[in-house]
Amino acid sequence: MSYPTQPTASHFIDGKYVEDTDGGRIPVVYPATGEVIATVYSATPAIIDMALNSAKRAQVQWAKMTGTERGRVLRRAAEIMRERNHDLSVLETYDTGKPYQETSVVDATSSAEALEYFGGLAGSLTGEHIQLGEDFVYTVREALGVCVGIGAWNYPTQIAGWKGAPALACGNAMVFKPSETTPLCALKVAEILHEAGAPAGVYNVIQGLGDVGAALVTDDRVDKVSLTGSVPTGRKVYAAAAAGIKHVTMELGGKSPILIFDDADLENAVSGAILGNFYSTGQVCSNGTRVYVQKGIKDAFVKRLCERLNDAIIGDPMDPDTSFGPMVSERQMKIVLDYIQIGQDEGATLAYGGKRLEQDGFYLQPTVFTDVTDDMRIAREEIFGPVLSVLEFENEAEAIARANDTEFGLAAGVFTADLTRGHRVAAAFEAGTCYINTYNLAPVEAPFGGSKASGVGRENSKNAINHYSQMKSVYVAMGDVEAPF
Ligand code: NDP
């Protein structure tokens, strides 16, 4: 079978596709079948150099344009992206294996929203005037320069847009490196931005593994690094960026809690747990994989959860009825299968799923463990797959303490009918992105990101502007200069 997935070339630099087959070969595998559907080549030092030089040159011109002009380009790109939503969603499904039912409403859509939102903000980015008697200071919001974006494999179109849109709105240029597991979608984002009028070099995409990311992060031409990835990679990238005193945004992993109290609406709580564990086959950084359920509702919750999982339609991700696709790669599937074994060895009860499906592709069943205790590895480590752990609790104080007892702090959720308890628990959560009576929504208008080991900085919202710009203050004296001698 042939697939419409082979890109024109591996890299998009200075407004055009560029190839260099001297780089390491990266086969792109369709997770639903295991077939190779495209090939790209890792960036050589010459390609890295070309991309950074192009970004450096283009950024100067881009920053000279008015914010309104830059915003117009971003909003036009958002329109093109929406017009091509079907094709982009199909490509996202080939790249990641996520069902078309999801990709058609989440991926290009959310990238377009970021372009539209930051395109709208671009014209209103200003400094301020500070009067000091007769003297005064004015501040100027300036671009940082060249930003490097490094993406994870779970949301390749979205991550390319979430990083690119605020960076470009502020007058920066970007060199984006997608995960080598999903190299296809970011190229389309670059193509569309260029078509929408972004000057050549303002948004470049180069392929490669961690070594290419590392070469970008340590380069003197780079002013800011924004990574979406795991905590171990985050530690390395943060340290490398620190050596060059570069700005950073770190969107890292999590092991987030969802607290379900006895008084919660059962169906809503089950829906939240499903969204927070099985959407995108569980490959979502903010997933609430530690589901703490109060004693009185626990049995009913587990029963209803397992009933609802029977309704998941697992199969061909291109079929619009399919609601649960394969894991992104054989490697990730094996990591998750190992954790499922570890959970059983640790004494947790396998209440649902737990097996690989006997068919082509990297399909696992949605999996639920009960009788999980806080010290088990399946309750402490990020699995990044469709594995939900149910833990029982008795009272609010205990549940909060246990929920916060983790190095991570990306997200947290609470389900309760008690309004004051909902807010009290959200206030007590040590997490950057919290939910009351819902889970895993990430609208562009709201800040998204983690505390503790889950990250530094925020994506989305007006807050992201602070992470892609810096303030210059200019002191203006209206009188003579007084010097001591
Ligand atoms: P990884 O941390 O393995 O990789 C992330 C990116 O960093 C990849 O592009 C990778 O390249 C690159 N990379 C690896 N080593 C280095 C290095 N030394 N220097 C520079 N770049 C490097 O994450 P995954 O791709 O496996 O994604 C899953 C992880 O991402 C999970 O932990 C998940 O929680 C997190 N995530 C966080 C999100 C958030 O917003 N907080 C959202 C989505 C995912 P390559 O893989 O090509 O070698």
XYZ file of all heavy atoms in Angstrom, residues 20-21 28-29 49 52 79 91 125 149 184 189 219 249 293 299 318 345 348 360 371 386 401 412 439 444 449 455:
200
model
N 19.238 16.645 2.660
C 20.649 16.301 2.783
C 20.695 14.849 3.255
O 20.530 14.566 4.444
C 21.342 17.235 3.789
C 22.834 16.924 3.920
O 23.272 15.888 3.365
O 23.545 17.709 4.572
N 20.887 13.953 2.308
C 20.804 12.524 2.641
C 22.068 12.010 3.344
O 22.177 10.816 3.625
C 20.524 11.684 1.370
O 21.504 12.031 0.392
C 19.139 11.937 0.818
N 9.754 6.557 9.042
C 8.533 6.971 9.743
C 7.549 5.801 9.682
O 7.182 5.344 8.593
C 7.909 8.217 9.075
C 6.737 8.726 9.913
C 8.960 9.302 8.889
N 7.130 5.325 10.837
C 6.321 4.105 10.911
C 4.869 4.470 11.247
O 4.617 5.253 12.176
C 6.904 3.164 11.989
C 5.992 1.957 12.212
C 8.306 2.718 11.604
N 23.417 24.519 10.678
C 24.015 25.831 10.438
C 23.120 26.681 9.525
O 22.869 27.858 9.794
C 25.372 25.580 9.776
C 26.331 26.708 10.050
O 26.369 27.150 11.205
O 27.006 27.146 9.092
N 19.959 27.866 11.431
C 20.200 28.921 12.425
C 20.584 30.236 11.753
O 20.133 31.311 12.170
C 21.291 28.471 13.411
C 20.842 27.377 14.395
C 22.020 26.856 15.207
C 19.763 27.908 15.343
N -6.141 30.516 9.200
C -7.225 30.257 8.226
C -6.851 29.113 7.285
O -7.661 28.225 7.025
C -7.453 31.505 7.367
C -8.426 32.487 7.947
C -8.407 33.784 7.144
O -8.244 33.746 5.910
O -8.523 34.843 7.792
N -2.773 13.393 8.140
C -1.319 13.285 8.311
C -0.958 13.074 9.784
O -0.091 12.259 10.121
C -0.638 14.552 7.779
C 0.886 14.455 7.695
C 1.315 13.447 6.637
C 1.509 15.827 7.386
N 1.062 44.314 21.836
C 2.185 44.087 22.758
C 2.943 45.396 22.944
O 3.570 45.895 22.015
C 3.115 43.003 22.194
C 2.433 41.678 21.889
C 3.429 40.684 21.320
C 1.786 41.115 23.155
N 12.502 25.352 19.257
C 11.408 24.543 19.783
C 11.761 23.074 19.592
O 12.209 22.683 18.512
N 6.590 14.416 10.569
C 5.908 14.903 9.361
C 5.120 16.200 9.547
O 5.137 17.083 8.678
C 4.954 13.809 8.835
C 5.618 12.449 8.536
C 4.555 11.441 8.091
C 6.701 12.598 7.481
N 3.255 22.844 9.166
C 3.083 24.119 9.874
C 4.023 25.164 9.259
O 3.628 26.302 8.994
C 3.354 23.942 11.396
C 3.283 25.282 12.118
C 2.369 22.944 12.002
N 23.973 26.159 20.873
C 24.511 27.094 19.873
C 24.382 28.555 20.336
O 23.342 28.967 20.852
C 23.780 26.906 18.541
C 24.534 27.548 17.396
O 24.481 28.794 17.264
O 25.204 26.809 16.649
N 11.566 27.475 28.303
C 10.253 26.976 28.706
C 10.376 25.463 28.704
O 10.865 24.882 27.727
C 9.152 27.404 27.710
O 9.074 28.833 27.678
C 7.799 26.845 28.121
N -10.122 7.609 44.693
C -11.584 7.563 44.798
C -11.965 7.340 46.261
O -11.425 6.437 46.925
C -12.164 6.433 43.907
C -13.681 6.561 43.833
C -11.574 6.480 42.507
N -16.420 1.341 44.628
C -16.865 0.150 43.889
C -17.760 0.545 42.717
O -17.643 0.006 41.609
C -17.607 -0.816 44.824
C -16.639 -1.470 45.802
O -15.418 -1.389 45.543
O -17.094 -2.024 46.823
N -8.145 5.531 11.006
C -8.740 6.380 9.962
C -10.270 6.244 9.920
O -10.949 7.071 9.326
C -8.183 6.010 8.584
C -6.736 6.379 8.385
S -6.446 8.157 8.520
C -4.648 8.150 8.462
N 3.148 -7.552 39.273
C 4.169 -8.077 40.190
C 4.120 -7.367 41.545
O 4.443 -7.948 42.579
C 5.579 -7.904 39.599
C 5.777 -8.748 38.336
O 4.940 -9.648 38.101
O 6.744 -8.490 37.592
N -0.914 -5.141 42.498
C -2.148 -4.440 42.132
C -3.068 -5.418 41.394
O -2.606 -6.404 40.809
C -1.823 -3.257 41.239
N -1.911 -6.487 13.593
C -0.793 -5.621 13.229
C -0.904 -4.305 13.991
O -1.985 -3.910 14.416
C -0.829 -5.317 11.721
C -0.415 -6.537 10.915
O 0.196 -7.453 11.503
O -0.718 -6.575 9.707
N -6.690 -1.563 43.745
C -5.841 -1.949 44.889
C -4.410 -1.441 44.721
O -3.445 -2.115 45.094
C -5.822 -3.488 45.071
C -7.212 -4.055 45.259
O -7.992 -3.449 46.023
O -7.539 -5.079 44.620
N -2.072 3.930 28.180
C -3.446 3.852 28.696
C -3.573 2.995 29.949
O -4.220 1.942 29.937
C -4.198 3.232 27.516
C -3.170 2.360 26.853
C -1.840 3.041 27.028
N -2.836 15.317 50.714
C -1.436 15.009 51.050
C -0.896 13.933 50.107
O 0.228 14.042 49.595
C -1.342 14.543 52.500
N -3.854 18.485 37.969
C -4.576 17.808 39.048
C -6.053 18.137 38.888
O -6.394 19.222 38.413
C -4.083 18.281 40.419
N -11.723 17.499 33.205
C -10.302 17.163 33.151
C -9.741 17.302 31.746
O -10.430 17.039 30.763
C -10.046 15.720 33.674
C -8.616 15.594 34.138
C -8.225 16.120 35.364
C -7.639 15.031 33.316
C -6.905 16.078 35.774
C -6.320 14.989 33.714
C -5.955 15.509 34.947
O -4.640 15.491 35.339
N -6.550 27.761 24.512
C -5.392 28.634 24.282
C -5.438 29.865 25.180
O -4.405 30.460 25.494
C -5.305 29.018 22.785
C -6.445 29.948 22.357
C -3.970 29.673 22.473
N 0.884 24.565 31.924
C 2.254 24.200 32.253
C 2.330 23.631 33.646
O 1.320 23.550 34.347
N 7.915 21.324 35.098
C 8.228 22.364 34.128
C 8.509 23.739 34.672
O 8.392 24.004 35.870
